[in-house]
């Protein structure tokens, strides 16, 4: 090939590369996302052009796929109408919402059409064996339906007992359905369990499946992170625990046994939680189950426990979960406790926490001393200087991987569910939380948080500032990438 052709080819490649970088840069700019997120993407694109452009094409935008987007659009009105009709049948729903809770309640009602409902009953389950035993008992007594949705199902130990109970329920005619995330439950889908369950009559669906042919059509890191069980339209569970036996789960990760909570719930909120499962089922399969529920209201009006469901995810309520979290922080007057395994906040959340501490609120952030992601751990530590300097208490729990997720405001209300305090949970994953407006239940949760604090080591700001230079460099490096984590 002549020098002229080499030169021409070089210029063509240069022009193609430059055009691609310019096109992707304009795409980033026109999306008008938070400035930090846009700048992080632009820095990556210009620092490593080919890799940066490829990474943005794969992970830079929310793409759930055309079918899911069309379903979501067509599903909203039927579900909203169904919930409105259902709620009108519940007795005892004329009540006053706590003044501190009211801003979040109104936001969620406006954005998500989710009502706050009175007359619920709730049990706090905090030991793995108690959680699995309670689930096992409720599945064993199921007579009409058993719907379960988890990010991770990991076989082994007592998790297998749940699988056998689910298959036994299906064999006796119970409608058993299981939604599991494709990535979180990858080992499960490679095992013999899906076939065994399907052969027994359990309907098993792999949610948001990944694969080489899906890369350009659907973003592969959008995950279904909910933990939800609804049995006989009467009992529901949610919280932080996946369907695993902690004694058998990630024992080689070097972080100890995972520490979780689940809430067992009865009352008017249960059919609302049921509707979230059937929404996800229809989103993934196209099969509508909504009209199948003939719910006879069960209320525990002597309990006066008010609950509101906050589902979140791409195309669901926009920034409702982030705004609810920020509102909760700004509503705190005396004490604010945040428990989370993964803490990679955005700037508004950091500012809100510092502001709360500055105005005299005791802000306590409880994190695991070690988690299963070194990269996230470095990014998390990058925020310590600013938070400690403002007076936020940071406590590192060392007795296992603290995986519980809750925000407790004074002794008034709480947010409990599956949401981590990171951008992925707030913006990308399908999550769920419960807004709890009940002083007695919040005091139980505060007691649990105090048990975590008793086993945690407080971080001293003076000692923290003496950490090695190498650690600071890594923290600041991953801090720059935190908008992308």
């Amino acid at each position: 090939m002549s020098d002229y052709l080499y030169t021409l080819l070089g210029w063509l490649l240069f022009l193609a590369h430059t055009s691609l970088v310019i096109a992707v840069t304009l795409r980033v700019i026109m999306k008008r996302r938070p400035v930090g997120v846009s700048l992080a993407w632009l820095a990556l694109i210009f620092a490593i052009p080919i890799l940066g452009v490829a990474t943005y094409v794969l992970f830079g935008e929310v793409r759930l796929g055309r079918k899911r987007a069309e379903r979501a659009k067509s599903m909203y009105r039927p579900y909203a109408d169904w919930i409105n009709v259902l709620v009108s049948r519940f007795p005892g729903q004329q009540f006053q919402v706590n003044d501190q809770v009211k801003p979040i309640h109104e936001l969620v009602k406006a954005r998500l059409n989710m009502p706050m409902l009175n007359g619920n009953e709730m049990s706090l389950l905090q030991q793995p064996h108690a959680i699995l035993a309670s689930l096992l008992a409720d599945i064993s007594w199921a007579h009409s339906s058993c719907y379960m949705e988890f990010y991770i199902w990991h076989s082994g130990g007592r998790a297998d007992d749940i699988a056998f109970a689910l298959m036994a329920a299906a064999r006796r005619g119970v409608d058993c359905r299981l939604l599991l995330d494709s990535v979180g439950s990858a080992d499960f889908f490679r095992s013999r369990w899906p076939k065994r369950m399907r052969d027994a009559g359990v309907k098993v669906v792999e949610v948001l499946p990944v694969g080489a042919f899906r890369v350009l059509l659907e973003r592969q890191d959008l995950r279904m992170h909910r933990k939800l069980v609804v049995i006989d339209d009467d009992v529901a569970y949610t919280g932080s625990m996946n369907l695993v036996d902690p004694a058998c789960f990630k024992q080689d990760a070097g972080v100890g046994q995972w520490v979780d909570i689940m809430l067992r719930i009865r009352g008017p909120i249960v059919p609302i939680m049921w509707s979230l499962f059937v929404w996800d089922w229809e989103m993934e399969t196209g099969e509508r189950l909504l009209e199948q529920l003939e719910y006879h209201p069960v209320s525990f009006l002597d309990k006066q426990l008010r609950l509101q469901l906050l589902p979140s995810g791409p195309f669901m309520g926009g920034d409702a979960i982030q705004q609810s979290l920020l509102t909760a922080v700004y509503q705190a007057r005396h004490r604010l406790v945040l428990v989370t395994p993964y803490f990679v906040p955005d700037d508004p959340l950091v500012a809100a926490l510092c502001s709360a501490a500055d105005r005299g609120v005791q802000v306590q952030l409880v994190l695991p001393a070690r988690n299963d992601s070194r990269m996230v751990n470095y990014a998390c530590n990058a925020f310590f200087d600013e938070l400690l300097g403002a007076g936020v208490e940071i406590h590192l729990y060392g007795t296992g991987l603290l995986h519980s997720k809750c925000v407790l405001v004074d002794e008034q209300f709480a947010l409990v569910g599956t949401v981590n305090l990171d951008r992925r949970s707030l913006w990308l994953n399908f999550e769920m939380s419960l807004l709890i407006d009940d002083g007695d239940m919040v005091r139980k949760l505060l007691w649990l948080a105090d048990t975590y604090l008793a086993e945690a080591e407080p971080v001293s700001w003076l000692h923290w500032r003496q950490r090695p230079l190498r650690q600071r460099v890594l923290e600041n490096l991953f801090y720059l990438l935190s908008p992308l984590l």
Side-chain angles (χ1 to χ4, degrees):
M1 187 179 293
S2 68
D3 291 344
Y4 172 77
L5 290 177
Y6 276 119
T7 303
L8 179 61
L9 181 60
W11 274 107
L12 289 174
L13 290 173
F14 172 77
L15 289 173
H17 169 261
T18 302
S19 299
L20 185 60
V21 169
I22 291 173
V24 174
T25 298
L26 289 173
R27 181 82 178 180
V28 172
I29 293 171
M30 296 304 293
K31 281 294 180 179
R32 290 181 58 86
R33 283 172 292 198
V35 174
V37 175
S38 295
L39 290 177
W41 277 116
L42 291 174
L44 183 63
I45 289 166
F46 283 102
I48 320 173
I50 300 299
L51 179 61
V53 167
T55 304
Y56 183 82
V57 169
L58 294 178
F59 304 112
E61 298 179 10
V62 175
R63 291 175 291 115
L64 274 172
R66 181 179 56 82
K67 286 185 178 180
R68 291 190 186 90
E70 291 175 353
R71 283 175 190 158
K73 186 176 180 180
S74 65
M75 287 163 56
Y76 177 78
R77 180 46 53 194
Y79 277 78
D81 292 343
W82 182 88
I83 288 173
N84 291 337
V85 170
L86 183 71
V87 171
S88 69
R89 297 166 52 192
F90 288 130
Q93 298 305 321
Q94 299 299 318
F95 55 85
Q96 289 295 318
V97 177
N98 183 305
D99 286 342
Q100 283 180 273
V101 178
K102 190 174 293 184
I104 304 176
H105 164 252
E106 297 296 337
L107 172 68
V108 174
K109 186 72 173 68
R111 293 280 185 87
L112 301 170
N113 195 55
M114 286 293 173
M116 178 170 281
L117 295 169
N118 191 31
N120 297 284
E121 181 182 69
M122 176 184 290
S123 301
L124 172 63
L125 304 173
Q126 64 199 62
Q127 298 297 332
H129 66 273
I131 294 170
L132 294 171
S134 181
L135 268 174
L136 186 64
D138 284 329
I139 295 170
S140 298
W141 285 102
H143 60 80
S144 61
S145 64
C146 184
Y147 297 165
M148 307 178 72
E149 180 173 9
F150 287 96
Y151 176 62
I152 299 173
W153 187 306
H154 181 81
S155 57
R158 299 210 66 183
D160 291 353
D161 296 339
I162 302 294
F164 285 121
L166 195 62
M167 290 188 292
R171 290 190 185 103
R172 65 175 183 267
V174 176
D175 181 21
C176 295
R177 299 172 188 260
L178 183 59
L179 289 170
L180 297 176
D181 184 79
S182 177
V183 172
S185 300
D187 289 342
F188 173 87
F189 285 111
R190 287 192 290 264
S191 73
R192 69 187 190 283
W193 283 107
K195 184 178 186 305
R196 291 183 68 179
M197 287 186 173
R198 288 168 179 141
D199 288 346
V202 180
K203 301 175 181 69
V204 182
V205 171
E206 183 177 358
V207 181
L208 297 172
V210 296
F213 294 107
R214 297 176 181 269
V215 167
L216 297 177
L217 301 176
E218 302 169 7
R219 181 166 169 173
Q220 299 290 277
D221 64 332
L222 302 178
R223 304 314 328 152
M224 182 64 73
H225 198 244
R226 307 202 222 272
K227 290 88 178 168
L228 174 62
V229 178
V230 185
I231 298 171
D232 288 346
D233 316 322
D234 178 60
V235 178
Y237 291 80
T238 191
S240 65
M241 186 170 167
N242 289 291
L243 206 297
V244 304
D245 184 337
C248 305
F249 181 61
K250 289 196 174 183
Q251 291 299 297
D252 57 350
V255 296
Q257 187 165 303
W258 290 39
V259 178
D260 281 292
I261 62 171
M262 289 294 274
L263 304 173
R264 183 182 185 272
I265 305 157
R266 298 187 68 210
I269 199 68
V270 172
I272 306 300
M273 298 172 74
W274 178 90
S275 74
L276 180 59
F277 176 91
V278 300
W279 170 283
D280 290 340
W281 185 271
E282 183 173 346
M283 178 76 76
E284 199 62 30
T285 68
E287 180 185 6
R288 176 157 296 181
L289 305 175
L290 190 63
E291 289 80 10
Q292 294 187 11
L293 181 67
E294 296 182 5
Y295 187 74
H296 303 287
V298 175
S299 294
F300 303 87
L301 296 179
D302 57 317
K303 306 288 185 180
Q304 295 295 301
L305 175 59
R306 295 177 292 276
L307 298 173
Q308 189 173 26
L309 180 64
L310 283 72
S312 61
F315 310 138
M316 188 177 287
D319 60 352
I321 190 66
Q322 187 223 25
Q323 291 300 315
S324 298
L325 175 60
L326 292 174
T327 303
V329 174
Y330 281 114
Q331 289 294 95
R333 298 169 185 170
H334 309 293
R335 185 184 181 194
L336 175 66
V337 183
L338 306 99
V339 181
T340 182
Y342 307 108
F343 182 73
V344 188
D346 55 13
D347 292 337
L349 179 55
V350 173
L353 294 174
C354 292
S355 174
D358 287 339
R359 66 176 186 268
V361 177
Q362 183 184 22
V363 182
Q364 297 172 302
L365 180 61
V366 190
L367 308 171
R370 301 178 305 279
N371 65 40
D372 56 339
S373 172
R374 181 169 295 184
M375 183 169 61
V376 170
N377 195 57
Y378 279 122
C380 167
N381 292 348
F383 296 92
F384 283 13
D385 269 337
E386 185 176 355
L387 293 169
L388 291 168
V392 174
E393 300 176 23
I394 300 176
H395 301 261
L396 301 180
Y397 181 89
T399 313
L401 194 158
L402 183 60
H403 194 245
S404 304
K405 310 147 198 291
C406 56
V407 177
L408 312 174
V409 181
D410 300 330
E411 291 187 356
Q412 298 299 319
F413 71 94
L415 289 166
V416 181
T418 70
V419 177
N420 298 310
L421 299 184
D422 61 9
R423 289 174 171 85
R424 179 159 299 282
S425 276
L426 296 177
W427 295 103
L428 297 179
N429 288 343
F430 289 91
E431 307 276 3
M432 62 182 297
S433 291
L434 279 177
L435 175 60
I436 303 172
D437 180 16
D438 180 80
D440 290 340
M441 179 53 64
V442 174
R443 281 186 284 275
K444 291 179 183 178
L445 290 163
L446 280 169
W447 172 85
L448 178 62
D450 284 334
T451 66
Y452 294 154
L453 285 163
E455 298 181 43
E457 188 73 26
V459 178
S460 162
W461 189 31
L462 292 177
H463 178 73
W464 180 253
R465 291 177 67 86
Q466 297 172 4
R467 66 197 186 282
L469 177 62
R470 176 181 174 276
Q471 183 175 338
R472 295 185 185 212
V473 171
L474 287 171
E475 289 167 1
N476 285 306
L477 173 63
F478 286 108
Y479 171 79
L480 293 175
L481 296 176
S482 63
L484 312 182
L485 295 180

